[in-house]
Amino acid sequence: MLIRIRLNLNRLTDNQLVELAQQGDQGAKERLYLKYKGFLVNESNKLVENCGLDFDDTFGSLCYLFLWSVYTYNLKGQFRGYMKFYIERKIKDDIGKRKARMPHVPKEAPFYLRNLNEILIGNLEDD
């Protein structure tokens, strides 16, 4: 007889939750997401206010980056610091790349967040 032990995910540390999430535990991913949803909303609001982007697109892209931070975390140090650094670095790198590649684009124009080769956030309409 197979007995499943239900873990109380609220009692686990971030590193333990990340380890479970990397092994495919959906409950651990959901718990991490709920724990850091406020941070993702705040960062999305900052980008919306500063760059004139759509909140839903921005929030979705930051959630995608959050998941990548879960998958790429190497379980050394604190996950919270790694996740914040990962997301903030990605945003700053993408802003810098856009300014370097497109100097003719005005500074007030929305920028694109890129992950791998996909455009995650940006103005897709032609003006």
Side-chain angles (χ1 to χ4, degrees):
M1 176 189 282
L2 178 64
I3 299 173
R4 289 188 73 181
I5 299 173
R6 177 83 177 143
L7 292 175
N8 186 354
L9 297 176
N10 294 329
R11 294 185 182 196
L12 297 178
T13 65
D14 286 352
N15 286 3
Q16 291 169 330
L17 287 170
V18 169
E19 191 172 2
L20 288 173
Q22 289 175 347
Q23 294 171 4
D25 187 335
Q26 191 65 26
K29 287 180 197 175
E30 290 174 13
R31 179 68 187 124
L32 281 168
Y33 169 75
L34 292 174
K35 186 171 184 176
Y36 292 107
K37 183 178 177 183
F39 169 76
L40 297 172
V41 168
N42 287 339
E43 288 298 311
S44 298
N45 283 330
K46 287 180 195 175
L47 291 171
V48 167
E49 289 174 13
N50 294 333
C51 302
L53 300 172
D54 180 59
F55 177 81
D56 293 333
D57 291 340
T58 305
F59 182 72
S61 296
L62 290 184
C63 288
Y64 182 76
L65 290 175
F66 173 76
L67 285 175
W68 270 107
S69 72
V70 170
Y71 292 127
T72 59
Y73 180 59
N74 61 4
L75 302 173
K76 294 181 182 175
Q78 299 247 342
F79 173 71
R80 168 182 245 147
Y82 174 80
M83 180 265 307
K84 287 181 179 181
F85 178 75
Y86 183 88
I87 291 174
E88 290 170 358
R89 185 190 71 212
K90 188 68 176 161
I91 292 169
K92 288 177 184 176
D93 286 352
D94 292 340
I95 291 171
K97 287 178 185 175
R98 179 160 193 236
K99 287 182 180 177
R101 290 182 188 160
M102 298 183 258
H104 60 280
V105 177
K107 289 181 181 178
E108 64 273 359
F111 65 92
Y112 296 87
L113 282 179
R114 301 177 199 278
N115 194 329
L116 305 175
N117 292 322
E118 300 175 25
I119 295 175
L120 298 176
I121 296 178
N123 186 4
L124 299 178
E125 299 174 7
D126 293 329
D127 293 323

